[in-house]
Amino acid sequence: MKLGIPKETAANETRVAASPDTVKRLVGLGFEVAVETGAGDGAHTPDSEFEAAGARIATSAKDAVGDADVVFKVARPTADEVAMMKRGAILAAVLSPLADKAFVSTYAEAGVDAFAMEFMPRITRAQSMDVLSSQSNLAGYKAVIDAAAEFGRAMPMMMTAAGTVAPARVLIMGVGVAGLQAIATAKRLGAIVSATDVRPATKEQVESLGGKFVMVESEETADAETSGGYAKEMSDDYKKAQAALIAETIKKQDIVICTALIPGRAAPVLVTEDMVKSMKPGSIIIDLAVEQGGNCPLSRPGEIVVVNGVKIVGHLNMPGRLATDASQLYARNLFNFIEPLVDVESGTLKIDWEDEIITGTALTHDGAVVHPQLTS
């Protein structure tokens, strides 16, 4: 069995789909691992470390994946990269199929069995394969660190002989994995933290981390969560009521961190232009949803903009800003995905195409698009 790991070509992508640890483990499963030279440079992992773990250093992407039975990537490949893969190869990556449904046929036409890792079912035995959780956890942490760096004041209360420095007030919008880590990180830095989400089940999680929960409770919120644990799109009436509450809350905040996403949809607008104008000069907004349209319509992908003295930060690829840790966690997710598919005795892959992990993530198989979200 051969497994190839090419260098990422997407703009702003610093991560790599392997670590020396997972390479060693993959070799132990019976794989011949090829890593394209320079693939780990953005994550501060030189070729020598991959080579010491048992990988062959490939001179090009074609050399790494051309005869590979399995290809691991971080971001969606280009059409040219797909063309490098042999028919029957397995591709596992964050493929963003809902952002470009037409591109999925590219995998089918090339005979590649493509697996979208972000579609991993939220079930117990798949937790160690959940790339969204591992990457969002780091994104939530980094969002607070970036906010603290941009903020012109201290985060914790400080008692000094010259007087008292008041603690920063931080509002987290969206209490998923990123939001929960942001709450925990902001609390560790000494801020007064509040959080909001449409899912009432998150109230206990927020309060367990020492935050204050802010939400309009109604009959609608009782059914505000999908079976996969994500927030649903709410009605216009609910959005208006929640927006009014947030408008009053946000005036008092120093830092707002937006994390709300709806799979397959544009990010919901949570912080309006009027809300931004109501904030104090020197306040900070970190928009983690900027790549899907943004939770604030004033945010700009890859930019820091200033509106009425409020900084709105739209950094791209937040996990990639912690590339070493993000790569190590992502690589472990991929290893945990492929390990159960390997029959060590025969040295072959044996995939149960009825398994819910496989049916949940497989986009294409045997030259056809098979995922229900793409075929219905």
Side-chain angles (χ1 to χ4, degrees), residues 16 22 69 94 106 109 115 127 135 168 173 213 264 271 292 305 330 339 374:
V16 59
T22 59
D69 302 296
V94 177
T106 304
E109 291 165 5
F115 292 84
Q127 286 180 347
Q135 303 304 290
M173 306 192 75
F213 193 59
V271 182
Q292 284 187 227
V305 297
Y330 181 78
E339 182 184 28
L374 303 169

Side-chain angles (χ1 to χ4, degrees), residues 339-358:
E339 182 184 28
L341 309 183
V342 175
D343 185 324
V344 178
E345 290 186 5
S346 65
T348 60
L349 291 168
K350 290 191 176 180
I351 301 176
D352 178 2
W353 291 94
E354 301 299 319
D355 185 282
E356 63 181 313
I357 289 175
I358 300 302

Side-chain angles (χ1 to χ4, degrees), residues 16-92:
V16 59
S19 68
D21 174 67
T22 59
V23 166
K24 185 176 180 180
R25 290 167 178 261
L26 289 165
V27 171
L29 285 178
F31 282 104
E32 295 176 27
V33 181
V35 179
E36 183 183 357
T37 183
D41 288 354
H44 309 292
T45 309
D47 291 350
S48 58
E49 293 190 16
F50 287 121
E51 194 168 24
R56 176 178 68 85
I57 304 304
T59 57
S60 65
K62 177 66 174 177
D63 185 23
V65 308
D67 62 350
D69 302 296
V70 179
V71 176
F72 284 171
K73 282 190 91 285
V74 178
R76 182 175 67 191
T78 64
D80 288 342
E81 289 174 314
V82 174
M84 296 177 189
M85 303 174 197
K86 71 178 186 180
R87 298 194 72 84
I90 289 172
L91 167 66

Side-chain angles (χ1 to χ4, degrees), residues 24-215:
K24 185 176 180 180
R25 290 167 178 261
L26 289 165
V27 171
L29 285 178
F31 282 104
E32 295 176 27
V33 181
V35 179
E36 183 183 357
T37 183
D41 288 354
H44 309 292
T45 309
D47 291 350
S48 58
E49 293 190 16
F50 287 121
E51 194 168 24
R56 176 178 68 85
I57 304 304
T59 57
S60 65
K62 177 66 174 177
D63 185 23
V65 308
D67 62 350
D69 302 296
V70 179
V71 176
F72 284 171
K73 282 190 91 285
V74 178
R76 182 175 67 191
T78 64
D80 288 342
E81 289 174 314
V82 174
M84 296 177 189
M85 303 174 197
K86 71 178 186 180
R87 298 194 72 84
I90 289 172
L91 167 66
V94 177
L95 298 176
S96 306
L98 298 180
D100 189 354
K101 293 183 179 180
F103 189 82
V104 176
S105 62
T106 304
Y107 310 126
E109 291 165 5
V112 171
D113 291 345
F115 292 84
M117 295 301 293
E118 70 270 41
F119 278 7
M120 190 63 62
R122 291 290 177 89
I123 58 176
T124 301
R125 65 189 177 92
Q127 286 180 347
S128 65
M129 312 172 196
D130 190 345
V131 301
L132 290 183
S133 291
S134 72
Q135 303 304 290
S136 295
N137 196 45
L138 290 172
Y141 163 81
K142 184 59 172 169
V144 176
I145 300 303
D146 284 350
E150 296 291 342
F151 191 44
R153 290 173 38 206
M155 292 281 278
M157 175 182 285
M158 294 184 180
M159 308 288 287
T160 76
T164 300
V165 175
R169 293 183 175 273
V170 178
L171 173 66
I172 312 298
M173 306 192 75
V175 188
V177 174
L180 289 170
Q181 182 57 246
I183 294 167
T185 302
K187 286 295 292 183
R188 287 196 292 268
L189 292 177
I192 296 174
V193 183
S194 55
T196 183
D197 198 289
V198 298
R199 298 165 296 173
T202 60
K203 179 179 181 180
E204 184 178 344
Q205 295 171 310
V206 170
E207 293 176 344
S208 71
L209 293 171
K212 178 184 177 182
F213 193 59
V214 180
M215 187 190 80

